[in-house]
Amino acid sequence: MTERILEVRAGSGLDGLRFGMDEPQVREGLASYGNVLDATAPGGALSLRTQGHDDSFSIYAAFEADGTLFTLEIWRPDDVSLIDVSLFGISVFTTPADRFLSRLAGLGHRIDFEDKWHPLLPEASIGLDREGGDDCDDDGLSRYFQSVFIAPHGYYSSPSSARCSG
C-alpha cells in the first residue's frame, strides 16, 4: 500500500495546488513534498521544484509571466510505496502504463497517441511520460509512467490562450 497518494484535479491542479495561485502560496503548498528550490532556466519564467526525502521524487511548478502557477509535473519516485499520483481514481505510478491507458479509455477518455512515449489526454490537459525508466518493453516504452504533466483546461487545444482559474 502506498503511504501518500496525490490527487490530480484535471485542468485545475494537484491536491492543494491550484493553477492561478501566486508564488508564496505555491511555495507553501510544495513545502509538504520536500524542500522547494528554484529551477528557473536563465531568461525563463519562474519555475520551482521540490527535492524530498527520496531524491527521485520531485514536483516541478512553472509560472506564467504574471507570477501565477501555470503547470505542474510530478516525477515517479524510485520507491512507489512512498508516494503515488491518482488520476480519475487510477494510480498513475503503480499501475502498468498499458493497463492504465486501457482503464482510461474504458472510462471514455480520449487518448492522443501521436507520440507513443508521451500520450496525452487533451480534454483533461494531462500529459503522460513513458520515456526512460529501468523496465522498458521491446519497443523501448517504459512499463510504468515516469511523470505526469498537468495544465489548465484548454492547454492542448490552445496553449497560448489557456488561462489559469485560481
Side-chain angles (χ1 to χ4, degrees):
M1 177 170 226
T2 303
E3 288 183 26
R4 186 169 185 184
I5 299 176
L6 309 178
E7 185 69 36
V8 171
R9 310 278 185 227
S12 65
L14 175 77
D15 279 349
L17 297 168
R18 295 288 183 264
F19 299 127
M21 293 173 85
D22 63 25
E23 179 186 349
Q25 292 171 313
V26 173
R27 283 183 178 276
E28 183 179 330
L30 285 174
S32 68
Y33 306 113
N35 297 321
V36 180
L37 307 171
D38 187 358
T40 306
L46 175 65
S47 182
L48 302 173
R49 74 176 180 90
T50 61
Q51 183 176 32
H53 303 294
D54 177 345
D55 289 341
S56 65
F57 174 76
S58 60
I59 299 175
Y60 281 77
F63 293 78
E64 293 192 271
D66 67 1
T68 56
L69 180 61
F70 187 51
T71 63
L72 293 162
E73 187 165 16
I74 303 95
W75 288 86
R76 184 180 200 268
D78 289 338
D79 184 354
V80 292
S81 71
L82 296 177
I83 195 159
D84 197 0
V85 173
S86 176
L87 175 63
F88 303 120
I90 309 167
S91 295
V92 176
F93 296 144
T94 58
T95 304
D98 290 332
R99 186 177 326 150
F100 180 91
L101 293 168
S102 286
R103 289 185 63 192
L104 283 178
L107 292 172
H109 295 281
R110 184 176 73 85
I111 303 166
D112 179 341
F113 289 103
E114 184 175 335
D115 180 341
K116 69 179 180 177
W117 285 280
H118 302 99
L120 304 175
L121 283 80
E123 288 80 14
S125 298
I126 302 287
L128 300 161
D129 177 10
R130 293 190 72 176
E131 192 170 11
D134 295 331
D135 186 23
C136 294
D137 66 14
D138 293 339
D139 294 327
L141 293 171
S142 177
R143 294 182 196 282
Y144 292 88
F145 290 113
Q146 300 303 302
S147 73
V148 58
F149 175 83
I150 310 163
H153 287 294
Y155 182 84
Y156 288 113
S157 60
S158 182
S160 62
S161 66
R163 286 287 164 239
C164 304
S165 56

